[in-house]
Amino acid sequence: MPVKNSIGFFIAFLLMIALIMFSIFFFFLAVDAYSQGFKGTALYYSMAGLMGLILSTYTLTKMILRKPSISTILDYEVRTLLQCLKCGFSNTRSFINGDYVLGFGDECPRCSSRMVILAIYKTTSKKKER
Amino acid sequence: MNLDAVLQQILSSEWDSIGLIFQAIFIALFLFSIFYGQRFQIWMMLKNVEVGLNKIKRMRDNARQVILDSLKRFNNDPSLDSTIDRLLEYFWIPPTSIDPFGIVGKIDHILNVRERRFRWELKSIVPNIDESRLRNLENLIEIGISLDQIYRVMRHYYLLGKKTMSLFLIYQAEALMPTILQEAEALTDAIKSFTTGQPIGDGVGSLVAARFIYGAEKKIVSEDTVMAEVEFEGRKLIVIKALGPGGNVGKPGEAVEKILESRRVDVVIMVDAALKLEGEEVGEVAEGVGAAIGGIGVDKFKIEEEAKKFNVPLYAVVVKESMSDALSTMKWEIYVGAEKAINRIKRLIREKTNVGDTVVLVGVGNTIGIGQ
């Protein structure tokens, strides 16, 4: 069975946070070295800081995006379009179990005959992560 | 020791010593990439496969739970769990293709046996259920079987890759994972539609056919398949579709076979949903020639055989949609596409047939949530 990413994920996460802090510290060193006239050293420190920052943010982003999300839950509304074939009155309402296309729906408010379901469709297909 | 002192101490070190440290780091990284680079790459790929596999597992478990809940509404037997697990592992063995002659008939036979057995199993679990709901439950279990199969196969390659540490095995599993995840997500989308009996995108062919025969007298032409005769601008239009509103695809091949064998037909028009390519719009309509029908190929074979036998031209009209659209509740764009398909079919009949001709129109697809 595949492993659950719990302890491994948090250790890697903490390591990356530590690397970010270390990189920031290197930037401080670089600024200080530059202000004291050590230009070469400042360049080395800034390079190290930049590399650390790129590596840690890249890895963190990948880790967070890769973290498995619980199965997609569909969050959309399903509408039923009804039309009265006698007087032409049409109406939409939320889907009710038992509705089917070309089946009979509610009573027409204008002429009291049974309306026909012309369409059952989803309005949005936004996927919500639980 | 304060920060200034630390900085002072570090900055007081020699230029050469800092350079040496960096060189040592780079050499270490270089050696690491030479000796452990591939292992690290394999480890990263395995992690990616593992994440995808976890997603598929959750989808499969979710599908199993939905199936269980749906069946529990009709039967509260405590042994239902094990029965569902047994049903989810149901398989069929395709016939041998060493000698391909007559293979379609053998596939047809095996699939019929499977369908009958499966239906019998389901009826024994929920004996007092109406046919329409029974078909929906059948479809729901089919989704569960597909998700279970996907999960098992991917788990097999993941564990095999982990065991052998074979780069190419793991590479293949990782390369396939995005498309497999897409397929699994599409199947997950279908669960809601099949639980509630809402029409799905794949049913657009059935919808078009149903629109032609609304109000006409229908009769069963083959198992789970209805036909009706209507008149369109002086032509006789024989429309075939699966029996709705339960989740059915019917047996359009058998129906066309029966009709073509029994009377003179001038044109066969098939309408179905087709998988769109990336960049194409949902609901786009295209037309061409040939048998527009998917599946294993039994119905396609039968229709093509009959069309060839009687020299009847086969025309196809398709409504384009993605796999996710095909399996989930119908989008409004697909209804718009169905309207366009109806107009195309009418134009096709006017252009390709004369007054007094007989046209067979086959609406292909799962007719869940679509009556007639």
Side-chain angles (χ1 to χ4, degrees):
Chain A
M1 237 334 289
V3 241
K4 289 170 197 151
N5 55 356
S6 47
I7 301 167
F9 178 83
F10 281 111
I11 289 171
F13 185 79
L14 288 176
L15 273 174
M16 288 306 120
I17 295 291
L19 189 58
I20 288 177
M21 290 168 79
F22 206 59
S23 307
I24 293 167
F25 178 65
F26 264 76
F27 280 125
F28 274 117
L29 288 178
V31 171
D32 209 64
Y34 188 80
S35 63
Q36 289 185 33
F38 298 100
K39 285 185 180 170
T41 315
L43 185 69
Y44 265 124
Y45 280 138
S46 50
M47 269 171 63
L50 195 68
M51 277 166 65
L53 207 63
I54 290 170
L55 182 74
S56 53
T57 43
Y58 173 75
T59 316
L60 261 181
T61 319
K62 289 282 274 184
M63 276 166 64
I64 291 164
L65 288 179
R66 213 178 57 179
K67 196 176 179 305
S69 52
I70 294 175
S71 64
T72 51
I73 303 297
L74 299 167
D75 185 30
Y76 55 76
E77 204 199 341
V78 178
R79 308 283 300 168
T80 300
L81 169 69
L82 304 112
Q83 194 173 41
C84 176
L85 298 181
K86 226 176 186 181
C87 68
F89 176 81
S90 65
N91 183 30
T92 55
R93 59 156 168 79
S94 290
F95 172 82
I96 299 168
N97 268 348
D99 282 357
Y100 65 90
V101 177
L102 300 182
F104 286 111
D106 316 332
E107 218 172 64
C108 175
R110 268 201 218 153
C111 65
S112 301
S113 60
R114 295 288 295 278
M115 292 198 282
V116 174
I117 296 170
L118 288 188
I120 295 167
Y121 59 97
K122 61 177 174 183
T123 48
T124 50
S125 65
K126 192 175 69 183
K127 282 182 179 176
K128 192 172 81 181
E129 302 284 330
R130 189 163 53 184
Chain B
M1 197 184 281
N2 59 20
L3 184 68
D4 275 354
V6 174
L7 288 174
Q8 205 60 44
Q9 199 178 343
I10 293 167
L11 291 171
S12 66
S13 54
E14 291 293 317
W15 161 274
D16 284 348
S17 65
I18 298 165
L20 206 67
I21 292 166
F22 276 105
Q23 274 190 20
I25 292 170
F26 279 117
I27 289 167
L29 282 173
F30 181 66
L31 288 174
F32 175 81
S33 68
I34 285 176
F35 293 113
Y36 295 101
Q38 201 185 52
R39 272 188 162 271
F40 185 69
Q41 203 183 347
I42 287 175
W43 179 79
M44 290 284 283
M45 286 196 291
L46 268 174
K47 278 279 161 198
N48 282 337
V49 175
E50 187 186 299
V51 170
L53 196 58
N54 278 333
K55 274 188 181 175
I56 297 171
K57 185 181 183 294
R58 263 184 284 271
M59 290 182 209
R60 183 203 62 162
D61 292 347
N62 178 43
R64 186 187 173 278
Q65 194 54 49
V66 172
I67 294 166
L68 191 65
D69 293 343
S70 305
L71 288 176
K72 270 186 177 167
R73 268 185 269 156
F74 305 100
N75 182 351
N76 222 354
D77 191 349
S79 67
L80 211 56
D81 273 70
S82 56
T83 314
I84 285 174
D85 289 333
R86 188 166 52 81
L87 282 176
L88 289 180
E89 284 178 31
Y90 216 83
F91 63 89
W92 73 281
I93 304 165
T96 178
S97 55
I98 299 170
D99 177 10
F101 181 75
I103 196 170
V104 179
K106 290 179 198 170
I107 294 174
D108 193 23
H109 171 66
I110 292 170
L111 288 178
N112 284 340
V113 172
R114 177 186 184 269
E115 197 178 281
R116 280 198 293 270
R117 171 79 199 274
F118 201 69
R119 213 164 270 178
W120 178 85
E121 289 264 10
L122 209 52
K123 265 195 169 170
S124 63
I125 302 168
V126 280
N128 300 321
I129 195 169
D130 61 88
E131 286 295 310
S132 175
R133 278 188 186 174
L134 184 76
R135 298 291 185 274
N136 293 356
L137 276 176
E138 255 179 61
N139 282 259
L140 202 57
I141 295 171
E142 293 281 0
I143 294 168
I145 292 173
S146 302
L147 280 169
D148 192 59
Q149 276 295 312
I150 291 173
Y151 172 67
R152 280 169 195 274
V153 172
M154 286 315 284
R155 184 182 60 178
H156 167 76
Y157 284 109
Y158 167 75
L159 292 174
L160 199 64
K162 208 174 176 181
K163 199 190 272 180
T164 58
M165 288 304 264
S166 160
L167 176 69
F168 295 104
L169 207 62
I170 301 162
Y171 191 78
Q172 281 184 64
E174 201 211 8
L176 283 173
M177 192 50 97
T179 46
I180 287 174
L181 268 176
Q182 253 183 0
E183 199 178 318
E185 276 168 8
L187 287 166
T188 307
D189 284 359
I191 292 171
K192 188 179 174 184
S193 315
F194 282 101
T195 319
T196 48
Q198 292 163 359
I200 57 169
D202 182 53
V204 68
S206 285
L207 176 69
V208 170
R211 289 281 301 275
F212 274 96
I213 55 171
Y214 183 69
E217 193 191 333
K218 290 110 195 163
K219 61 178 180 185
I220 301 288
V221 60
S222 58
E223 196 184 346
D224 295 333
T225 314
V226 288
M227 65 162 276
E229 282 186 40
V230 287
E231 207 186 282
F232 175 75
E233 295 182 7
R235 286 90 167 164
K236 187 176 276 179
L237 194 57
I238 302 167
V239 184
I240 299 166
K241 78 175 277 290
L243 177 68
N248 263 327
V249 287
K251 295 204 183 301
E254 205 180 301
V256 170
E257 205 174 17
K258 275 185 186 170
I259 292 166
L260 262 66
E261 292 279 351
S262 63
R263 61 170 85 183
R264 191 185 66 82
V265 171
D266 298 287
V267 166
V268 174
I269 301 171
M270 299 186 74
V271 54
D272 193 9
L275 277 185
K276 74 177 185 75
L277 299 171
E278 288 300 326
E280 289 180 328
E281 294 293 320
V282 179
E284 251 181 53
V285 177
E287 60 180 271
V289 291
I293 185 164
I296 289 166
V298 174
D299 290 289
K300 193 180 171 82
F301 178 83
K302 284 179 182 173
I303 294 168
E304 286 168 350
E305 274 290 300
E306 289 303 308
K308 187 193 79 183
K309 190 174 167 186
F310 295 101
N311 196 25
V312 179
L314 269 176
Y315 295 111
V317 175
V318 295
V319 180
K320 295 186 179 177
E321 51 196 75
S322 70
M323 192 192 281
S324 172
D325 296 326
L327 290 173
S328 63
T329 305
M330 216 181 256
K331 280 182 175 175
W332 182 251
E333 290 90 329
I334 298 174
Y335 283 97
V336 176
E339 276 307 317
K340 286 182 202 163
I342 290 169
N343 291 331
R344 289 272 189 115
I345 290 164
K346 284 180 179 172
R347 200 201 67 207
L348 201 62
I349 295 171
R350 282 183 204 114
E351 283 174 4
K352 299 290 172 193
T353 62
N354 301 312
V355 173
D357 282 356
T358 304
V359 179
V360 171
L361 173 66
V362 190
V364 181
N366 195 315
T367 191
I368 186 165
I370 302 166
Q372 50 270 326

